[in-house]
Each structure stands twice: as C-alpha cells, then as structure tokens.
Amino acid sequence: MNTEPDETSSRDVPTPDRLLHSGAEGEFTAEDLVLASGRDVTPETLAWAERRMAEKGRASLDELLP
C-alpha cells in the first residue's frame, strides 16, 4: 500500500456549474446521442440513434440526460 498522497488528489475539484452543459440546448448528432446513452459508437448504434432522433427529435437526448 502506498502511503504517499496521490499527486492528482489535491487538484481534483468539481467542474464549476458555469462550465457544465448538457448539449441539449443546441444541435446534436447521432453520435452525441449514442455517447449519452453509454453505448459504443458503431454503425448499428448510429442507426438506432438516427431512428430515435427522427421519432422523438430533441426529446431523444433530453430523456437520456439527468
């Protein structure tokens, strides 16, 4: 077990709220939707995202984000 403090632990700070955004307020792509869903970007998941975007529009991303 290492008793030395982790060098990065003193620099780990939360991201300020002013820098956080979901991306739902602007344009988004099928790749954005796939990544927001936690899936890997593949031709199949991109096709899923494109179908979902066509069906639900902006709500397709809003539903995945907290």
Side-chain angles (χ1 to χ4, degrees):
M1 178 174 190
N2 187 358
T3 58
E4 297 285 322
D6 183 9
E7 290 180 26
T8 60
S9 63
S10 63
R11 293 184 296 229
D12 287 345
V13 294
T15 303
D17 288 344
R18 65 183 169 73
L19 298 177
L20 296 173
H21 57 88
S22 67
E25 63 276 354
E27 295 299 316
F28 63 99
T29 65
E31 184 175 349
D32 295 330
L33 187 59
V34 170
L35 294 173
S37 73
R39 299 173 177 157
D40 291 330
V41 178
T42 65
E44 293 80 16
T45 57
L46 288 172
W48 164 83
E50 289 169 357
R51 288 189 307 273
R52 186 173 171 112
M53 289 169 65
E55 179 184 323
K56 296 187 176 198
R58 185 167 304 283
S60 61
L61 185 59
D62 291 341
E63 291 174 348
L64 294 173
L65 300 174

